[in-house]
Amino acid sequence: MTMEKQQTYCLSEGINWRIWQHELVLFNPFDNCVHLVSSQWLRYFERLAQEDAFALDDFLDLLIDESLAEQLWQQWLQANIIRPTSTLSSG
Amino acid sequence: MTQARMLLVKEHSNSLLQCLRQEGIYLYLPPFIIRLRSQSHDLAQYLSLFYKDLSFCLDSQVVHFDIELKAESWWRQWLSPQVRFYQSQQAPFLAMPRHHSAILWEWGLNYCVAAKCHHYLTIHAAVVLKDGQAVVIPAPPGSGKSTLCALLCCHGWQLLSDEFALIDLDNQRVQAFPRPISLKNSSIDVLKQVVAKQQISAQFSAQFSGTSKGDIQLLALPKAVHADTRKTYPIKQIVYPHYLQQPGFNCRALSKAQSLMQLVENSFNFALLGQAGFDCLTTLVDNAQHWVLDYHDFNEALNQLELQHG
């Protein structure tokens, strides 16, 4: 994994979503962008929404496939769906 | 406060140029009021023919857009007369030849609506109407949406717009905004044949050659083909057309999520409206049917649209 494991993250505020059958559309008010993803990600998304902050390890615990988890993680970071809660620790 | 005296364009075509040259006219082009000033004889003539059923007044009004078409500097007039479009004294485009004034007005007005009109969710789309329910046809430039829109309007559908779906943020209904349809290149001859065959009293402008979009002619459909501009309409279908160069036909349902993504892609102001835009689109998408329509023969497309709309 290339991510800093001590860093904590949170979901961006005010994210809204709609699910239609197997497709999930996320709306991020941070940049007013929409993202179309598989609806299977909703349970991870809802799980993370319950936390004030979470580390990458918490996220990995949710998924069996680590490479898929990293891919999703990177995708959400780039889309501003998740963001670091503070500056990186010296770790 | 006295009420403004409304004048019909077609009853004042002789004095229109003089009015445009002085303080300008306040043109009622629902849902907008536009102040328009111009020295251009070409534009005055175009308005008197292609906007003849609209009203205007000469008394000062609060307007949505303040537009002026101004001649370029005097020395330029000797080389090649050109005009430039101004909106609230800002010039968003390069100047165009003076005889292209009508096109400059149409494109400039499109710019104003796309850039300034945020009390609607604006989508780049043609919109047609049948039985009181609208079909929105979103598509990028060059995809043939104006051609399909014009053809539909020659076959019993009514025109809301060939350029904009103006969607009410509160009730997701679409506002009628009918104007002349901009036809490009090969679609001009197609429509001329259809208009003649269907015996429609439509009017074609002069051809504007060598524009950035190729050859253009504007098509004004008779008033009866225009949807009532005092009303808004529910959206029944959203259709994504794709004209096939070779014979073929395919119509398939599109998922609501994918349709929403395409509507966002074709929206001028979704990113500005934010949550209100998302709420509007999700409700709109929930209540409409969504299709991708690949066609070569217009009659097949027409039959399919009428079947789905029935």
Side-chain angles (χ1 to χ4, degrees), chain A residues 14 16-18 20-27 29 31-36, chain B residues 255-258 260-261 264 270-275 278-279 282-283 285-286:
Chain A
N16 201 345
W17 68 83
R18 277 300 304 268
W20 284 287
Q21 295 180 327
H22 60 283
E23 292 174 310
L24 172 68
V25 177
L26 295 176
F27 170 72
D31 51 12
N32 285 343
C33 282
V34 287
H35 307 276
L36 177 59
Chain B
S255 75
K256 289 180 186 291
Q258 288 183 33
L260 184 142
M261 296 302 287
V264 169
F270 178 84
L272 261 165
L273 295 172
Q275 185 67 53
F278 186 69
D279 292 342
T282 51
T283 309
V285 160
D286 267 335

Short mmCIF file of all heavy atoms in Angstrom, two decimals, chain A residues 14 16-18 20-27 29 31-36, chain B residues 255-258 260-261 264 270-275 278-279 282-283 285-286:
data_model
loop_
_atom_site.label_atom_id
_atom_site.label_comp_id
_atom_site.label_asym_id
_atom_site.label_seq_id
_atom_site.Cartn_x
_atom_site.Cartn_y
_atom_site.Cartn_z
N GLY A 14 -21.70 16.72 3.75
CA GLY A 14 -22.87 17.00 2.92
C GLY A 14 -23.00 16.13 1.68
O GLY A 14 -23.78 16.47 0.79
N ASN A 16 -24.34 13.65 -0.80
CA ASN A 16 -25.69 13.15 -1.01
C ASN A 16 -25.62 12.03 -2.04
O ASN A 16 -24.68 12.00 -2.83
CB ASN A 16 -26.56 14.30 -1.53
CG ASN A 16 -28.03 14.06 -1.31
OD1 ASN A 16 -28.47 12.94 -1.03
ND2 ASN A 16 -28.81 15.12 -1.43
N TRP A 17 -26.57 11.16 -2.03
CA TRP A 17 -26.54 10.10 -3.04
C TRP A 17 -27.93 9.61 -3.37
O TRP A 17 -28.86 9.79 -2.60
CB TRP A 17 -25.65 8.94 -2.59
CG TRP A 17 -26.17 8.14 -1.42
CD1 TRP A 17 -27.09 7.13 -1.47
CD2 TRP A 17 -25.81 8.30 -0.06
NE1 TRP A 17 -27.30 6.65 -0.22
CE2 TRP A 17 -26.53 7.34 0.68
CE3 TRP A 17 -24.94 9.15 0.62
CZ2 TRP A 17 -26.43 7.21 2.05
CZ3 TRP A 17 -24.83 9.03 2.00
CH2 TRP A 17 -25.56 8.08 2.70
N ARG A 18 -28.01 9.00 -4.56
CA ARG A 18 -29.22 8.32 -5.00
C ARG A 18 -28.82 6.98 -5.57
O ARG A 18 -27.80 6.88 -6.27
CB ARG A 18 -29.95 9.13 -6.07
CG ARG A 18 -30.84 10.22 -5.54
CD ARG A 18 -31.94 9.71 -4.64
NE ARG A 18 -32.76 8.71 -5.27
CZ ARG A 18 -33.87 8.98 -5.94
NH1 ARG A 18 -34.29 10.21 -6.07
NH2 ARG A 18 -34.56 8.01 -6.50
N TRP A 20 -30.11 3.75 -7.88
CA TRP A 20 -31.10 3.19 -8.81
C TRP A 20 -30.60 1.80 -9.21
O TRP A 20 -29.56 1.69 -9.89
CB TRP A 20 -31.22 4.05 -10.08
CG TRP A 20 -31.98 5.32 -9.89
CD1 TRP A 20 -33.33 5.47 -9.72
CD2 TRP A 20 -31.45 6.66 -9.86
NE1 TRP A 20 -33.66 6.80 -9.59
CE2 TRP A 20 -32.54 7.54 -9.68
CE3 TRP A 20 -30.16 7.17 -9.97
CZ2 TRP A 20 -32.37 8.93 -9.61
CZ3 TRP A 20 -29.98 8.54 -9.91
CH2 TRP A 20 -31.09 9.40 -9.73
N GLN A 21 -31.33 0.80 -8.78
CA GLN A 21 -30.96 -0.60 -9.05
C GLN A 21 -29.51 -0.86 -8.66
O GLN A 21 -29.18 -0.72 -7.48
CB GLN A 21 -31.26 -0.96 -10.51
CG GLN A 21 -32.76 -0.89 -10.80
CD GLN A 21 -33.09 -1.22 -12.22
OE1 GLN A 21 -32.33 -0.94 -13.14
NE2 GLN A 21 -34.25 -1.81 -12.42
N HIS A 22 -28.65 -1.15 -9.61
CA HIS A 22 -27.27 -1.51 -9.27
C HIS A 22 -26.31 -0.31 -9.39
O HIS A 22 -25.11 -0.48 -9.32
CB HIS A 22 -26.78 -2.66 -10.16
CG HIS A 22 -26.81 -2.31 -11.62
ND1 HIS A 22 -27.98 -2.30 -12.35
CD2 HIS A 22 -25.84 -1.94 -12.46
CE1 HIS A 22 -27.71 -1.94 -13.60
NE2 HIS A 22 -26.42 -1.70 -13.68
N GLU A 23 -26.87 0.88 -9.58
CA GLU A 23 -26.00 2.04 -9.78
C GLU A 23 -26.23 3.09 -8.70
O GLU A 23 -27.37 3.37 -8.32
CB GLU A 23 -26.24 2.65 -11.17
CG GLU A 23 -25.77 1.73 -12.28
CD GLU A 23 -26.13 2.25 -13.66
OE1 GLU A 23 -27.31 2.61 -13.87
OE2 GLU A 23 -25.25 2.28 -14.53
N LEU A 24 -25.12 3.64 -8.26
CA LEU A 24 -25.16 4.65 -7.20
C LEU A 24 -24.59 5.95 -7.75
O LEU A 24 -23.50 5.95 -8.34
CB LEU A 24 -24.29 4.15 -6.03
CG LEU A 24 -24.02 5.10 -4.86
CD1 LEU A 24 -25.29 5.37 -4.07
CD2 LEU A 24 -22.96 4.49 -3.94
N VAL A 25 -25.32 7.04 -7.59
CA VAL A 25 -24.81 8.36 -7.99
C VAL A 25 -24.53 9.16 -6.74
O VAL A 25 -25.43 9.38 -5.91
CB VAL A 25 -25.81 9.10 -8.90
CG1 VAL A 25 -25.29 10.49 -9.23
CG2 VAL A 25 -26.07 8.33 -10.18
N LEU A 26 -23.28 9.55 -6.59
CA LEU A 26 -22.88 10.38 -5.44
C LEU A 26 -22.81 11.83 -5.88
O LEU A 26 -22.29 12.14 -6.96
CB LEU A 26 -21.48 9.97 -4.96
CG LEU A 26 -21.30 8.57 -4.38
CD1 LEU A 26 -19.82 8.35 -4.06
CD2 LEU A 26 -22.13 8.39 -3.12
N PHE A 27 -23.31 12.71 -5.04
CA PHE A 27 -23.18 14.15 -5.30
C PHE A 27 -22.33 14.75 -4.18
O PHE A 27 -22.63 14.58 -3.00
CB PHE A 27 -24.54 14.83 -5.33
CG PHE A 27 -24.44 16.33 -5.34
CD1 PHE A 27 -24.01 16.99 -6.48
CD2 PHE A 27 -24.74 17.08 -4.21
CE1 PHE A 27 -23.88 18.38 -6.48
CE2 PHE A 27 -24.62 18.47 -4.22
CZ PHE A 27 -24.19 19.12 -5.36
N PRO A 29 -21.01 18.14 -2.61
CA PRO A 29 -21.18 19.60 -2.63
C PRO A 29 -19.86 20.36 -2.51
O PRO A 29 -19.83 21.57 -2.74
CB PRO A 29 -22.07 19.87 -1.40
CG PRO A 29 -21.84 18.72 -0.50
CD PRO A 29 -21.52 17.54 -1.37
N ASP A 31 -17.36 20.13 -4.55
CA ASP A 31 -17.05 20.62 -5.90
C ASP A 31 -18.25 20.54 -6.84
O ASP A 31 -18.12 20.75 -8.05
CB ASP A 31 -15.87 19.83 -6.49
CG ASP A 31 -16.07 18.33 -6.40
OD1 ASP A 31 -17.21 17.91 -6.10
OD2 ASP A 31 -15.11 17.58 -6.63
N ASN A 32 -19.42 20.22 -6.27
CA ASN A 32 -20.66 20.08 -7.06
C ASN A 32 -20.51 19.09 -8.21
O ASN A 32 -21.09 19.29 -9.29
CB ASN A 32 -21.13 21.44 -7.58
CG ASN A 32 -21.76 22.28 -6.49
OD1 ASN A 32 -22.13 21.77 -5.44
ND2 ASN A 32 -21.89 23.57 -6.74
N CYS A 33 -19.74 18.04 -7.97
CA CYS A 33 -19.57 17.00 -8.99
C CYS A 33 -20.41 15.78 -8.64
O CYS A 33 -20.69 15.52 -7.47
CB CYS A 33 -18.11 16.58 -9.12
SG CYS A 33 -17.14 17.76 -10.04
N VAL A 34 -20.77 15.03 -9.68
CA VAL A 34 -21.47 13.76 -9.47
C VAL A 34 -20.56 12.61 -9.91
O VAL A 34 -19.73 12.78 -10.81
CB VAL A 34 -22.82 13.69 -10.23
CG1 VAL A 34 -23.86 14.55 -9.58
CG2 VAL A 34 -22.64 14.04 -11.68
N HIS A 35 -20.72 11.46 -9.26
CA HIS A 35 -19.91 10.29 -9.57
C HIS A 35 -20.82 9.09 -9.66
O HIS A 35 -21.65 8.86 -8.77
CB HIS A 35 -18.84 10.06 -8.49
CG HIS A 35 -18.01 11.28 -8.24
ND1 HIS A 35 -16.92 11.61 -8.99
CD2 HIS A 35 -18.16 12.28 -7.33
CE1 HIS A 35 -16.41 12.75 -8.56
NE2 HIS A 35 -17.14 13.19 -7.55
N LEU A 36 -20.65 8.32 -10.72
CA LEU A 36 -21.45 7.10 -10.89
C LEU A 36 -20.60 5.90 -10.49
O LEU A 36 -19.53 5.68 -11.08
CB LEU A 36 -21.88 6.99 -12.36
CG LEU A 36 -22.67 5.75 -12.77
CD1 LEU A 36 -23.96 5.62 -11.98
CD2 LEU A 36 -22.97 5.79 -14.25
N SER B 255 -30.29 3.52 -18.22
CA SER B 255 -30.56 3.52 -16.78
C SER B 255 -30.72 4.96 -16.29
O SER B 255 -30.18 5.90 -16.86
CB SER B 255 -29.43 2.83 -16.02
OG SER B 255 -28.29 3.66 -15.96
N LYS B 256 -31.45 5.10 -15.21
CA LYS B 256 -31.70 6.44 -14.66
C LYS B 256 -30.38 7.10 -14.22
O LYS B 256 -30.17 8.29 -14.41
CB LYS B 256 -32.68 6.35 -13.49
CG LYS B 256 -34.10 6.02 -13.93
CD LYS B 256 -35.05 5.93 -12.77
CE LYS B 256 -36.44 5.47 -13.19
NZ LYS B 256 -37.20 6.41 -13.98
N ALA B 257 -29.51 6.29 -13.63
CA ALA B 257 -28.23 6.84 -13.15
C ALA B 257 -27.40 7.36 -14.32
O ALA B 257 -26.81 8.45 -14.25
CB ALA B 257 -27.47 5.77 -12.38
N GLN B 258 -27.36 6.56 -15.40
CA GLN B 258 -26.56 7.00 -16.55
C GLN B 258 -27.20 8.20 -17.24
O GLN B 258 -26.49 9.08 -17.74
CB GLN B 258 -26.39 5.84 -17.52
CG GLN B 258 -25.43 4.81 -16.94
CD GLN B 258 -25.14 3.66 -17.88
OE1 GLN B 258 -25.11 3.84 -19.09
NE2 GLN B 258 -24.94 2.49 -17.32
N LEU B 260 -28.87 10.51 -15.68
CA LEU B 260 -28.54 11.67 -14.83
C LEU B 260 -27.13 12.17 -15.14
O LEU B 260 -26.90 13.38 -15.24
CB LEU B 260 -28.67 11.30 -13.35
CG LEU B 260 -28.44 12.47 -12.39
CD1 LEU B 260 -29.40 12.38 -11.20
CD2 LEU B 260 -27.01 12.55 -11.87
N MET B 261 -26.19 11.22 -15.29
CA MET B 261 -24.81 11.64 -15.59
C MET B 261 -24.75 12.41 -16.91
O MET B 261 -24.04 13.40 -17.04
CB MET B 261 -23.90 10.41 -15.65
CG MET B 261 -23.77 9.65 -14.34
SD MET B 261 -23.16 10.64 -12.96
CE MET B 261 -21.44 10.83 -13.39
N VAL B 264 -26.17 15.91 -16.50
CA VAL B 264 -25.16 16.78 -15.85
C VAL B 264 -24.13 17.22 -16.88
O VAL B 264 -23.76 18.40 -16.96
CB VAL B 264 -24.49 16.05 -14.67
CG1 VAL B 264 -23.27 16.82 -14.18
CG2 VAL B 264 -25.48 15.82 -13.54
N PHE B 270 -25.21 23.17 -13.83
CA PHE B 270 -25.34 22.23 -12.72
C PHE B 270 -24.30 22.52 -11.64
O PHE B 270 -24.60 22.52 -10.43
CB PHE B 270 -25.20 20.79 -13.21
CG PHE B 270 -25.29 19.77 -12.11
CD1 PHE B 270 -26.52 19.33 -11.66
CD2 PHE B 270 -24.14 19.29 -11.49
CE1 PHE B 270 -26.61 18.41 -10.62
CE2 PHE B 270 -24.22 18.37 -10.45
CZ PHE B 270 -25.46 17.95 -10.01
N ALA B 271 -23.07 22.78 -12.07
CA ALA B 271 -21.99 23.00 -11.11
C ALA B 271 -22.22 24.26 -10.27
O ALA B 271 -21.71 24.37 -9.16
CB ALA B 271 -20.64 23.09 -11.83
N LEU B 272 -22.98 25.20 -10.81
CA LEU B 272 -23.29 26.42 -10.07
C LEU B 272 -24.45 26.20 -9.09
O LEU B 272 -24.47 26.76 -8.00
CB LEU B 272 -23.71 27.51 -11.04
CG LEU B 272 -22.66 28.52 -11.43
CD1 LEU B 272 -23.12 29.30 -12.64
CD2 LEU B 272 -22.41 29.47 -10.28
N LEU B 273 -25.39 25.40 -9.49
CA LEU B 273 -26.60 25.22 -8.68
C LEU B 273 -26.38 24.27 -7.51
O LEU B 273 -27.07 24.36 -6.49
CB LEU B 273 -27.75 24.71 -9.55
CG LEU B 273 -28.23 25.67 -10.63
CD1 LEU B 273 -29.23 25.00 -11.55
CD2 LEU B 273 -28.86 26.92 -10.00
N GLY B 274 -25.45 23.34 -7.67
CA GLY B 274 -25.11 22.45 -6.56
C GLY B 274 -26.27 21.58 -6.12
O GLY B 274 -26.95 20.96 -6.93
N GLN B 275 -26.54 21.58 -4.80
CA GLN B 275 -27.54 20.68 -4.23
C GLN B 275 -28.91 20.88 -4.88
O GLN B 275 -29.62 19.90 -5.14
CB GLN B 275 -27.64 20.92 -2.72
CG GLN B 275 -28.56 19.97 -2.00
CD GLN B 275 -28.04 18.52 -1.99
OE1 GLN B 275 -26.90 18.28 -1.60
NE2 GLN B 275 -28.86 17.59 -2.42
N PHE B 278 -28.91 19.03 -8.08
CA PHE B 278 -28.95 17.57 -7.87
C PHE B 278 -30.35 17.12 -7.48
O PHE B 278 -30.87 16.14 -8.02
CB PHE B 278 -27.93 17.18 -6.80
CG PHE B 278 -27.80 15.68 -6.60
CD1 PHE B 278 -27.24 14.89 -7.60
CD2 PHE B 278 -28.23 15.08 -5.44
CE1 PHE B 278 -27.11 13.51 -7.42
CE2 PHE B 278 -28.11 13.71 -5.26
CZ PHE B 278 -27.54 12.92 -6.25
N ASP B 279 -30.98 17.85 -6.58
CA ASP B 279 -32.35 17.51 -6.17
C ASP B 279 -33.31 17.56 -7.36
O ASP B 279 -34.17 16.70 -7.53
CB ASP B 279 -32.83 18.46 -5.07
CG ASP B 279 -32.08 18.27 -3.77
OD1 ASP B 279 -31.44 17.20 -3.60
OD2 ASP B 279 -32.09 19.19 -2.93
N THR B 282 -32.53 14.55 -9.81
CA THR B 282 -32.93 13.22 -9.33
C THR B 282 -34.45 13.04 -9.43
O THR B 282 -34.92 11.98 -9.83
CB THR B 282 -32.47 12.98 -7.88
OG1 THR B 282 -32.87 14.07 -7.07
CG2 THR B 282 -30.97 12.81 -7.78
N THR B 283 -35.20 14.08 -9.11
CA THR B 283 -36.66 13.99 -9.22
C THR B 283 -37.08 13.88 -10.69
O THR B 283 -37.93 13.06 -11.05
CB THR B 283 -37.33 15.22 -8.58
OG1 THR B 283 -36.81 15.38 -7.27
CG2 THR B 283 -38.84 15.05 -8.50
N VAL B 285 -35.32 12.72 -13.18
CA VAL B 285 -34.91 11.41 -13.69
C VAL B 285 -35.86 10.32 -13.19
O VAL B 285 -36.22 9.40 -13.93
CB VAL B 285 -33.44 11.14 -13.25
CG1 VAL B 285 -33.11 9.67 -13.30
CG2 VAL B 285 -32.49 11.93 -14.15
N ASP B 286 -36.29 10.43 -11.95
CA ASP B 286 -37.23 9.46 -11.39
C ASP B 286 -38.53 9.39 -12.18
O ASP B 286 -39.12 8.33 -12.34
CB ASP B 286 -37.58 9.84 -9.94
CG ASP B 286 -36.67 9.16 -8.94
OD1 ASP B 286 -36.13 8.08 -9.28
OD2 ASP B 286 -36.49 9.70 -7.84
#
